[in-house]
Amino acid sequence: MTTPTSDLLLDPYDYDFHEDPYPYYKRLRDEAPLYHNADLGFWALSRHSDVLAGFRNSTTLSNKFGVSLDPASRGPHASKTMSFLAMDDPAHLRLRTLVSKGFTPRRIRELEPRVTEIATQHLDIMMEKATGGTVDYVNEFAGKLPMDVISELMGVPVEDRDQVRAWADGVMHRDEGVTDVPPAAIEASLNLIVYYQEMVAERRKKLTDDLTSALLEAEIDGDRLTDDEILGFMFLMVIAGNETTTKLLANAAFWGHKNPDQIAPVYTDLDRVPLWVEETLRYDTSSQILARTVEGELTLYDTTIPDGDVVLLLPGSAHRDERAFENPDDFIIGREIGAKLQSFGSGAHFCLGAHLARMEARVALTEMFKRIRGFEVDEASAVRVHSSNVRGFAHLPMTLKFN
């Protein structure tokens, strides 16, 4: 059931697709649930049940070459920057289990008061700037908080955090038409890795109570993480933990603005914030496209996908599948989502940072809504990020109404 239809095109690098991928996804689900793009060299799965099965099939659909379509990010070297996300079992299970000894739910819980403080500091500055009119929510808040939280977790000194955040932004930035990792991003990556190497070396001499030290101490039956493995995980946090949470915060604000009837009850009942976060994760997830590599061969829809081919899983499409959700194109805070959410994947590679992302988003939006009674996004001036796998805003100017 692949499609020869010439006018049905999925190009993850196309700017029109970035502006609104959902009409493309609908056509894929209806006309080509197994889609093949021979020019760009990938297959794609778009229906909820197929994407979920894809996430859970970690034997035939391998992670070992990474999860990005970008050529420079793919290949046997992918685990150097993507850690266990670019590995299969048993290597994946070993590394994930060791990392989990340091990156515990308890550590995330204990971090919450500091996350609240960091959010409050950024909000104070944003509110002050907003008194003069429009303020960029991404520049002042959504783009700063997640990386600062990761730095807090890792033990990066406060005075270094602006620089570390700038490098992290540099790692992710792509100019128009660029389909591969540009030299500036490679330079930013090297700067970050050198910085983290020095940090790990310092902790080897003197342990502290941060995650970097906990990773150095993590041990199972005499097996420990190497410095390279720790660096790989720290880099994964920058890419996967920073970028996606920034996008989540901005997407939540944007769709809240577009659906005032849904957001109005949140002002008087802050317990609804987690529901707002979940519906944002479903309706317009940060992480839209994840790549896998076929190991052996895979037969779907009477078509055999050969060994070594790339299959894209499209959780962004799965969440708008009317086969899984009623009125999927409506933004409804409080709808029943449960285990149908695929923003954090599923199965063996379920996102280790899901707790952290949800906690950050809850704290950030709750603290913001304690202080305002309304906001308006300047849609005409909003700028989307152009990326082959994440969706969100580079700039989201807004005006705030204060309590």
Side-chain angles (χ1 to χ4, degrees), residues 3-56:
T3 180
T5 314
S6 58
D7 74 327
L8 179 53
L9 177 69
L10 174 67
D11 177 357
Y13 299 104
D14 177 63
Y15 272 32
D16 187 60
F17 172 73
H18 297 163
E19 288 300 322
D20 186 5
Y22 296 105
Y24 293 84
Y25 290 154
K26 176 153 181 55
R27 285 196 63 191
L28 288 178
R29 291 192 304 270
D30 292 346
E31 298 171 38
L34 176 64
Y35 169 83
H36 189 213
N37 186 319
D39 293 337
L40 289 173
F42 69 79
W43 304 76
L45 292 169
S46 49
R47 288 184 181 173
H48 188 279
S49 56
D50 292 334
V51 176
L52 185 61
F55 276 130
R56 291 181 175 173

Side-chain angles (χ1 to χ4, degrees), residues 147 150 168 192 196 233-243:
M147 194 59 221
I150 289 165
L192 257 186
Y196 283 147
F233 176 68
M234 291 168 89
F235 203 81
L236 172 65
M237 290 281 288
V238 170
I239 296 173
N242 170 33
E243 176 80 347

Side-chain angles (χ1 to χ4, degrees), residues 147 150-152 154-165 167-168 187-203 210 212 231 234-235 238:
M147 194 59 221
I150 289 165
S151 288
E152 177 76 26
M154 298 289 191
V156 173
V158 172
E159 61 270 19
D160 292 352
R161 290 182 190 177
D162 286 349
Q163 177 61 74
V164 168
R165 196 184 326 120
W167 285 328
E187 187 186 345
S189 303
L190 290 172
N191 284 329
L192 257 186
I193 286 170
V194 168
Y195 180 87
Y196 283 147
Q197 272 174 333
E198 288 169 0
M199 214 167 105
V200 169
E202 278 175 22
R203 296 301 187 278
D210 53 36
T212 307
L231 286 168
M234 291 168 89
F235 203 81
V238 170

